[in-house]
Amino acid sequence: MLLTEDAPLPVRTVDPAFRRDIVEGLSRMPKATPPIWFYDRRGSELFEEITDLPEYYPTRTETALLEQHGPDFAQAVGSGRAVVEFGAGSARKTPRLLRAINPAAYVPIDISGEFLHASSAELASAFPGLPVLPVVGDFNGVLDLPAAISGLPRLGFFPGSTIGNMEPEAAVDLLRAMHRLLGDGAMLLIGMDRIKDSNRLIAAYDDAKGVTAAFNLNLIARINRELGGDFPLDAFEHVARFNPDARSVEMHLRATRDVTAHIAASKLTVSLKAGETIWTESSHKYRADEMPAIADDAGFVCSHQWLENEWGFAESLLVAR
Ligand code: AVJ
């Protein structure tokens, strides 16, 4: 059953957090914007398309891990927990987990409200009797969990290697915040993409069909749409490259000619030289054996790990200390 609070009326106002992050990010040198703003409705749809691409191995690899190890999760986690998913999106992997562990409630959290409500309704009809309580918001910020799950033990679910959007130090801070949100006795199941051959990595972020390019370029289209920008879309190209020192795949939008553009919502003028980039995402790749120390720093013990070694992915179970 889907339980939602009344949605606010869709008013066409500027999201002040979006405006602030974009203005700050484009005023900086080098220019860089947080990846959270990829996920408007269009961006969420494009990300869904990415997860089906032959080059983008993380989703199918993690889905197979979840499918394969359901009985292990059931044994390690037990039944009757409230599952809280961070960055649920379409929540296509979630049914595997829910079927395996028989939870008491499901709380998907996502920044894209429209998208979240559609996927929550779908999930609720696939699991009649399971309370589904979506929360629209940015899990990097302050959030409240629904009152309906107070008293239930929690299992956080943080799949997809979204943790890779943070460098290890910031990842520890986020896990600590999740620990605080989930409370005493919490567990956290977390998916992590592992370091591998750079050709495979780059292919996954620069697919032949150009879906990832469209996903990246949608950020500029969104700035034009929502902030009254006049960036010429045809003056930017998608770049994915591997940074071996940071061990991350970086995505950039590169100006193919000198660009001067304006953002009406903040009276800002932005100039880029030909070849200059806007750094839009880092996708850090971990070694599986780094997780125990990260968990420890965040107040958890890493109690189990399930590894896929052909494509290189890890699912780790953390237990609050
Ligand atoms: C959702 C952050 C896990 O880094 O692989 C996919 C986002 N960006 N293709 C990733 C993404 C380009 C994805 N995460």
Side-chain angles (χ1 to χ4, degrees):
M1 96 208 71
L2 180 63
L3 305 163
T4 55
E5 277 148 31
D6 284 340
L9 290 172
V11 272
R12 283 244 150 247
T13 52
V14 172
D15 179 337
F18 179 47
R19 180 174 57 197
R20 184 203 56 218
D21 280 1
I22 295 304
V23 167
E24 272 179 26
L26 297 184
S27 307
R28 193 182 299 149
M29 208 45 194
K31 297 177 173 62
T33 52
I36 183 85
W37 302 115
F38 281 138
Y39 301 94
D40 63 351
R41 193 190 170 89
R42 176 81 187 123
S44 296
E45 284 166 1
L46 285 165
F47 180 67
E48 253 354 86
E49 242 183 273
I50 287 174
T51 63
D52 280 332
L53 292 169
E55 298 96 330
Y56 194 75
Y57 59 86
T59 308
R60 68 183 132 82
T61 306
E62 184 174 35
T63 304
L65 269 175
L66 293 172
E67 183 78 48
Q68 192 182 345
H69 298 293
D72 296 353
F73 303 144
Q75 194 173 28
V77 168
S79 62
R81 285 186 179 258
V83 173
V84 177
E85 181 167 353
F86 298 99
S90 73
R92 280 200 314 191
K93 293 170 217 166
T94 318
R96 268 113 182 147
L97 178 67
L98 299 182
R99 262 198 298 277
I101 68 168
N102 189 26
Y106 173 55
V107 180
I109 304 173
D110 203 272
I111 186 93
S112 181
E114 259 182 282
F115 205 74
L116 178 67
H117 284 107
S119 62
S120 299
E122 207 173 300
L123 204 128
S125 65
F127 289 85
L130 177 71
V132 176
L133 307 131
V135 173
V136 179
D138 176 2
F139 60 77
N140 295 292
V142 185
L143 280 174
D144 285 320
L145 293 177
I149 67 161
S150 63
L152 291 176
R154 319 281 170 66
L155 171 69
F157 183 39
F158 192 30
S161 199
T162 305
I163 191 172
N165 274 168
M166 281 136 278
E167 298 300 318
E169 225 174 90
V172 167
D173 291 340
L174 179 61
L175 296 192
R176 202 177 287 130
M178 288 176 173
H179 188 311
R180 213 176 305 125
L181 180 72
L182 296 171
D184 289 340
M187 292 179 157
L188 185 58
L189 185 64
I190 177 167
M192 187 168 86
D193 193 17
R194 289 154 59 196
I195 183 80
K196 57 184 62 71
D197 178 74
S198 62
N199 291 323
R200 273 191 183 186
L201 287 173
I202 289 168
Y205 292 85
D206 196 7
D207 63 278
K209 247 175 95 182
V211 181
T212 310
F215 174 72
N216 199 4
L217 284 158
N218 178 57
L219 181 71
I220 292 182
R222 182 178 185 185
I223 292 170
N224 286 349
R225 277 194 300 271
E226 293 185 24
L227 302 181
D230 61 1
F231 286 84
L233 275 163
D234 66 355
F236 290 90
E237 63 187 6
H238 168 67
V239 177
R241 57 183 180 228
F242 182 63
N243 177 336
D245 297 320
R247 284 190 288 139
S248 37
V249 180
E250 295 179 0
M251 296 209 312
H252 294 256
L253 290 161
R254 179 160 56 205
T256 55
R257 55 174 195 261
D258 289 357
V259 172
T260 300
H262 311 86
I263 296 179
S266 68
K267 304 192 170 62
L268 179 74
T269 300
V270 180
S271 304
L272 292 102
K273 289 261 157 240
E276 188 181 341
T277 75
I278 304 170
W279 185 2
T280 51
E281 184 173 47
S282 289
S283 204
H284 186 80
K285 303 304 168 186
Y286 289 89
R287 289 193 323 265
D289 64 10
E290 289 177 276
M291 186 47 104
I294 291 170
D296 186 59
D297 286 349
F300 292 98
V301 173
C302 180
S303 73
H304 296 69
Q305 277 194 321
W306 295 271
L307 305 183
E308 199 277 358
N309 292 325
E310 194 192 327
W311 286 91
F313 203 91
E315 208 66 28
S316 305
L317 184 67
L318 315 191
V319 181
R321 265 199 265 106

